Amino acid sequence: MVADLDIRFDWVFEGDNVEMKIIMLGSPGAGKGTQAKRIAEKYSIPHISTGDIFRANIKNDTELGKKAKTYMDQGLLVPDELVVALVVDRLKQGDCSNGCVLDGFPRTIPQAEALDAALKAINGRVDYAVNVEVPDANIVERMSGRRACLNCGATFHLKHIPAKVEGICDVCGAELVLRDDDKTETVLKRLKVYHDQTQPLIDYYTKQGVLVEVDGTKDKSEVFEAIINILEQ
Ligand code: AMP
C-alpha cells in the first residue's frame, strides 16, 4: 500500500524561487516530456521522468526494470508502490533543492496523495500542475510515427521530426526503433488507462487551485511559450 511507504523527506527546497515544484499532466504522447525538458533547462531544475527511469532500468536489466517492463509492454501502469518509492528517493537528491519538473508522475490518485504527503512533510506543495491537452485522435498518429533511440533516449518522428538518416539516431548513431509502448494497440490501451486512472488528477489539482492548461496541439515552441507565460504571470 502506498500509505505504508516511507515518504519522509530530509531535504528542503531552497533558493529565490519557491514556485518551482511543477508536475506535467496530459495523455501519453501529448508532448509533456518535451515541454518538461525545456522548463527544466530554463529554470535549471531537474527533469524527472518516471518513464525514462524505468527505461534506463530495463536497459540495465535491473530487477526494477524487469518488473516494470511486464506492465509497460502491455500499456499498463507500473504498480504505485514501485513508482512512489522510486520518485521519493529521487526527490531526496540534492539537485532537487530548488524544485523539479515531474514528468509522468503522479499518474494515479494514490500517487498524487503520496506526493502531497511527502511535500507536506517539508511544508511544500505542488505549485503548478500543467495539463498539456491533446485530443485522442491526434495521439495515435503522433505515437505510431515516433522512433526512439534506446541507447541515448533521443526521440524522432517519421513525419514531424525525421532523423537525418532514416532509422539512425542523429545524436549517437544507434538504431532507431518503434518502442513497444508506442505501438498502436498499446497506445489505445494506454489512452484508456489514462482516461480511467490519470484524468481524475485534473479534478484533483483543480480543487487544489494549481491546475493550468495549455493547448498541446500547437507547435512545440508555442506550447512552451504559453507555459512560461503562465509560470511567470
Ligand atoms: P512515459 O514515458 O511517461 O509515457 O511512461 C512509459 C510507461 O512507464 C507508462 O506507460 C507506464 O507503464 C510506466 N510509467 C511511467 N510513469 C509511471 C507512473 N507514474 N505510474 C505508473 N506507471 C508509470
Side-chain angles (χ1 to χ4, degrees):
M1 288 294 294
V2 170
D4 295 337
L5 292 170
D6 181 356
I7 48 171
R8 280 171 299 149
F9 277 50
D10 52 9
W11 47 268
V12 285
F13 285 111
E14 290 166 347
D16 299 339
N17 197 335
V18 292
E19 302 281 322
M20 282 296 147
K21 280 156 280 170
I22 300 165
I23 63 170
M24 304 299 293
L25 297 174
S27 8
K32 55 187 188 307
T34 307
Q35 298 302 331
K37 262 185 221 147
R38 295 181 72 168
I39 296 168
E41 265 165 33
K42 181 170 171 65
Y43 296 111
S44 302
I45 52 177
H47 165 218
I48 301 172
S49 155
T50 41
D52 283 353
I53 295 173
F54 287 135
R55 282 185 287 277
N57 275 273
I58 290 170
K59 193 175 160 213
N60 295 328
D61 207 22
T62 66
E63 278 312 305
L64 176 66
K66 281 182 202 146
K67 281 185 199 158
K69 189 171 183 341
T70 59
Y71 298 94
M72 289 168 77
D73 285 351
Q74 297 178 70
L76 299 173
L77 294 185
V78 175
D80 288 337
E81 54 269 32
L82 290 181
V83 191
V84 171
L86 181 123
V87 174
V88 168
D89 221 44
R90 176 65 187 87
L91 290 175
K92 284 178 182 167
Q93 291 175 22
D95 63 338
C96 294
S97 60
N98 287 325
C100 59
V101 187
L102 284 171
D103 163 19
F105 181 93
R107 254 182 163 100
T108 64
I109 295 282
Q111 290 180 20
E113 287 171 348
L115 178 65
D116 277 353
L119 292 175
K120 198 171 169 199
I122 52 137
N123 292 324
R125 55 174 290 183
V126 169
D127 297 297
Y128 294 99
V130 179
N131 183 28
V132 182
E133 280 189 295
V134 177
D136 286 4
N138 302 33
I139 295 288
V140 177
E141 190 267 344
R142 278 191 185 188
M143 291 179 81
S144 57
R146 196 149 79 170
R147 293 295 178 271
C149 175
L150 298 184
N151 186 48
C152 74
T155 49
F156 300 84
H157 190 281
L158 292 177
K159 204 156 99 192
H160 308 300
I161 323 166
K164 288 190 191 112
V165 179
E166 196 179 325
I168 303 293
C169 177
D170 288 0
V171 182
C172 74
E175 194 188 345
L176 296 177
V177 298
L178 174 62
R179 279 180 1 200
D180 284 340
D181 59 351
D182 286 343
K183 290 181 179 154
T184 300
E185 70 209 61
T186 317
V187 171
L188 292 175
K189 206 190 254 180
R190 291 177 72 194
L191 281 171
K192 181 172 173 6
V193 167
Y194 169 77
H195 291 300
D196 290 348
Q197 298 190 58
T198 307
Q199 212 169 11
L201 294 179
I202 307 280
D203 266 2
Y204 183 90
Y205 288 111
T206 300
K207 283 188 189 128
Q208 289 194 6
V210 295
L211 187 87
V212 297
E213 298 195 285
V214 289
D215 178 355
T217 63
K218 297 242 168 79
D219 179 79
K220 270 187 270 183
S221 305
E222 283 178 68
V223 179
F224 182 61
E225 208 176 304
I227 295 173
I228 297 307
N229 282 343
I230 292 169
L231 299 182
E232 298 194 350
Q233 251 170 32

mmCIF file of all heavy atoms in Angstrom, residues 38 46 65 87 107 128 132 160 172 203 223 226:
data_model
loop_
_atom_site.group_PDB
_atom_site.id
_atom_site.type_symbol
_atom_site.label_atom_id
_atom_site.label_comp_id
_atom_site.label_asym_id
_atom_site.label_seq_id
_atom_site.Cartn_x
_atom_site.Cartn_y
_atom_site.Cartn_z
ATOM 1 N N ARG A 38 12.273 21.319 -21.481
ATOM 2 C CA ARG A 38 12.566 22.729 -21.750
ATOM 3 C C ARG A 38 12.355 23.591 -20.510
ATOM 4 O O ARG A 38 13.120 24.522 -20.247
ATOM 5 C CB ARG A 38 11.691 23.224 -22.918
ATOM 6 C CG ARG A 38 12.057 22.501 -24.199
ATOM 7 C CD ARG A 38 11.253 22.969 -25.369
ATOM 8 N NE ARG A 38 11.645 24.303 -25.803
ATOM 9 C CZ ARG A 38 11.250 24.846 -26.947
ATOM 10 N NH1 ARG A 38 10.461 24.185 -27.761
ATOM 11 N NH2 ARG A 38 11.628 26.054 -27.276
ATOM 12 N N PRO A 46 15.923 19.925 -12.054
ATOM 13 C CA PRO A 46 15.925 18.612 -12.702
ATOM 14 C C PRO A 46 14.592 18.225 -13.336
ATOM 15 O O PRO A 46 13.530 18.578 -12.827
ATOM 16 C CB PRO A 46 16.287 17.652 -11.564
ATOM 17 C CG PRO A 46 16.239 18.407 -10.317
ATOM 18 C CD PRO A 46 16.121 19.866 -10.601
ATOM 19 N N GLY A 65 13.651 -2.895 -13.493
ATOM 20 C CA GLY A 65 13.409 -2.874 -14.938
ATOM 21 C C GLY A 65 12.611 -4.093 -15.390
ATOM 22 O O GLY A 65 11.663 -3.974 -16.171
ATOM 23 N N VAL A 87 10.293 7.640 -6.863
ATOM 24 C CA VAL A 87 10.257 9.100 -7.008
ATOM 25 C C VAL A 87 10.687 9.776 -5.696
ATOM 26 O O VAL A 87 11.473 10.728 -5.705
ATOM 27 C CB VAL A 87 8.851 9.590 -7.448
ATOM 28 C CG1 VAL A 87 8.781 11.104 -7.442
ATOM 29 C CG2 VAL A 87 8.528 9.056 -8.831
ATOM 30 N N ARG A 107 0.511 9.607 -11.664
ATOM 31 C CA ARG A 107 -0.380 9.122 -12.711
ATOM 32 C C ARG A 107 -1.646 8.507 -12.129
ATOM 33 O O ARG A 107 -2.507 8.056 -12.880
ATOM 34 C CB ARG A 107 0.346 8.067 -13.527
ATOM 35 C CG ARG A 107 0.789 8.546 -14.911
ATOM 36 C CD ARG A 107 1.427 7.369 -15.588
ATOM 37 N NE ARG A 107 1.575 7.460 -16.989
ATOM 38 C CZ ARG A 107 2.717 7.790 -17.583
ATOM 39 N NH1 ARG A 107 3.764 8.155 -16.898
ATOM 40 N NH2 ARG A 107 2.803 7.754 -18.896
ATOM 41 N N TYR A 128 2.459 24.059 -9.523
ATOM 42 C CA TYR A 128 1.723 24.070 -10.789
ATOM 43 C C TYR A 128 1.558 22.652 -11.308
ATOM 44 O O TYR A 128 2.524 21.881 -11.319
ATOM 45 C CB TYR A 128 2.480 24.858 -11.874
ATOM 46 C CG TYR A 128 2.591 26.326 -11.593
ATOM 47 C CD1 TYR A 128 3.752 26.853 -11.049
ATOM 48 C CD2 TYR A 128 1.539 27.185 -11.891
ATOM 49 C CE1 TYR A 128 3.868 28.215 -10.780
ATOM 50 C CE2 TYR A 128 1.648 28.546 -11.632
ATOM 51 C CZ TYR A 128 2.807 29.048 -11.082
ATOM 52 O OH TYR A 128 2.911 30.379 -10.825
ATOM 53 N N VAL A 132 -1.127 19.435 -20.492
ATOM 54 C CA VAL A 132 -0.917 19.637 -21.934
ATOM 55 C C VAL A 132 -2.018 18.860 -22.654
ATOM 56 O O VAL A 132 -2.014 17.633 -22.686
ATOM 57 C CB VAL A 132 0.489 19.135 -22.356
ATOM 58 C CG1 VAL A 132 0.711 19.386 -23.843
ATOM 59 C CG2 VAL A 132 1.586 19.807 -21.521
ATOM 60 N N HIS A 160 7.187 14.359 -38.439
ATOM 61 C CA HIS A 160 7.368 15.689 -37.833
ATOM 62 C C HIS A 160 8.810 15.998 -37.434
ATOM 63 O O HIS A 160 9.233 17.156 -37.474
ATOM 64 C CB HIS A 160 6.452 15.856 -36.620
ATOM 65 C CG HIS A 160 5.025 15.523 -36.935
ATOM 66 N ND1 HIS A 160 4.304 16.190 -37.899
ATOM 67 C CD2 HIS A 160 4.197 14.581 -36.437
ATOM 68 C CE1 HIS A 160 3.087 15.674 -37.975
ATOM 69 N NE2 HIS A 160 3.002 14.689 -37.093
ATOM 70 N N CYS A 172 23.586 9.788 -31.494
ATOM 71 C CA CYS A 172 24.645 8.818 -31.153
ATOM 72 C C CYS A 172 24.873 7.754 -32.222
ATOM 73 O O CYS A 172 25.753 6.915 -32.074
ATOM 74 C CB CYS A 172 24.343 8.172 -29.796
ATOM 75 S SG CYS A 172 22.992 6.987 -29.895
ATOM 76 N N ASP A 203 -9.166 16.930 -11.946
ATOM 77 C CA ASP A 203 -10.070 17.419 -10.892
ATOM 78 C C ASP A 203 -9.321 17.630 -9.583
ATOM 79 O O ASP A 203 -9.535 18.616 -8.872
ATOM 80 C CB ASP A 203 -11.149 16.361 -10.606
ATOM 81 C CG ASP A 203 -12.381 16.625 -11.422
ATOM 82 O OD1 ASP A 203 -12.359 17.592 -12.205
ATOM 83 O OD2 ASP A 203 -13.358 15.848 -11.284
ATOM 84 N N VAL A 223 3.651 26.086 -27.462
ATOM 85 C CA VAL A 223 3.195 25.460 -26.211
ATOM 86 C C VAL A 223 4.125 25.903 -25.079
ATOM 87 O O VAL A 223 3.674 26.290 -23.995
ATOM 88 C CB VAL A 223 3.181 23.910 -26.325
ATOM 89 C CG1 VAL A 223 2.733 23.270 -25.022
ATOM 90 C CG2 VAL A 223 2.279 23.458 -27.460
ATOM 91 N N ALA A 226 3.467 29.418 -24.055
ATOM 92 C CA ALA A 226 2.226 29.517 -23.269
ATOM 93 C C ALA A 226 2.481 29.084 -21.821
ATOM 94 O O ALA A 226 1.993 29.714 -20.869
ATOM 95 C CB ALA A 226 1.143 28.642 -23.900
#
